[in-house]
Amino acid sequence: MASESFDFEEVTRVTAGTIGEPGKRQFYLQLRAAGTLVSLALEKDQLRTLTERLQEVFSRVPVPPSGPLPDMALEEPVAAIWRVGFMTLTYSQEEKAFEVSLVELVDEGEEPATGHFQASLPQMQALATHAAGIITAGRPPCPMCGGPIDHDGGVCPRLNGHH
């Protein structure tokens, strides 16, 4: 069964969050537009990359100082309509707005759902700040391999003789 696609010209809220304990957390991107709430599952690395790209944009364009963060908690119910496979991010200096396109992660041969939304510069500033906190709240990285320090209860792959 095909997943639901969406296209939001303007979101009233964009946030990210997790459910679960560090090491077993599930990551979500959540959007609200015109009374509709959409939750999407994504990987920690995808959220990290999105945050880094946003920070890169903020370093290159004039950005007003960000105010206090609005409430960035996930809204209930958190039920992902699909898992993000990849995303693109563009910024319009003229409109001072971001455009984000998302494509569902599907098995080969299946037709993915797509998502699209536009968000303001302050909304994406808040998302980047909030997401950076979420990412650092997890398990610390292993100094040898960069993976999570616990290695799912095992030992660092660098200690098994393979580099």
Side-chain angles (χ1 to χ4, degrees):
M1 179 164 79
S3 298
E4 181 180 346
S5 293
F6 63 89
D7 186 2
F8 298 143
E9 285 302 313
E10 186 177 322
V11 293
T12 54
R13 186 168 194 267
V14 56
T15 192
T18 62
I19 295 177
E21 297 298 316
K24 299 192 184 336
R25 295 188 298 171
Q26 296 175 357
F27 289 78
Y28 296 93
L29 180 66
Q30 197 174 65
L31 314 165
R32 177 167 285 289
T36 302
L37 180 67
V38 171
S39 299
L40 302 164
L42 72 164
E43 297 296 324
K44 180 179 182 178
D45 286 340
Q46 291 172 308
L47 184 60
R48 177 182 291 125
T49 300
L50 175 61
T51 303
E52 289 169 355
R53 295 298 177 260
L54 287 169
Q55 291 168 342
E56 187 178 304
V57 171
F58 301 149
S59 73
R60 294 181 180 183
V61 300
V63 177
S66 59
L69 281 182
D71 179 11
M72 298 297 287
L74 293 174
E75 290 183 53
E76 295 291 336
V78 181
I81 62 170
W82 40 266
R83 179 168 290 282
V84 175
F86 67 89
M87 67 179 91
T88 58
L89 173 74
T90 56
Y91 177 69
S92 168
Q93 178 68 31
E94 186 178 304
E95 296 177 22
K96 302 217 180 321
F98 287 87
E99 188 171 322
V100 181
S101 295
L102 308 148
V103 178
E104 179 184 20
L105 178 64
V106 295
D107 292 330
E108 191 173 330
E110 292 183 21
E111 188 68 28
T114 59
H116 170 264
F117 69 93
Q118 292 183 9
S120 69
L121 180 62
Q123 286 174 318
M124 295 305 267
Q125 280 180 288
L127 176 64
T129 300
H130 178 67
I134 290 170
I135 292 162
T136 59
R139 296 176 292 171
C142 173
M144 294 180 72
C145 71
I149 199 83
D150 183 26
H151 300 289
D152 296 323
V155 296
C156 174
R158 291 258 174 130
L159 295 176
N160 70 3
H162 297 283
H163 300 284

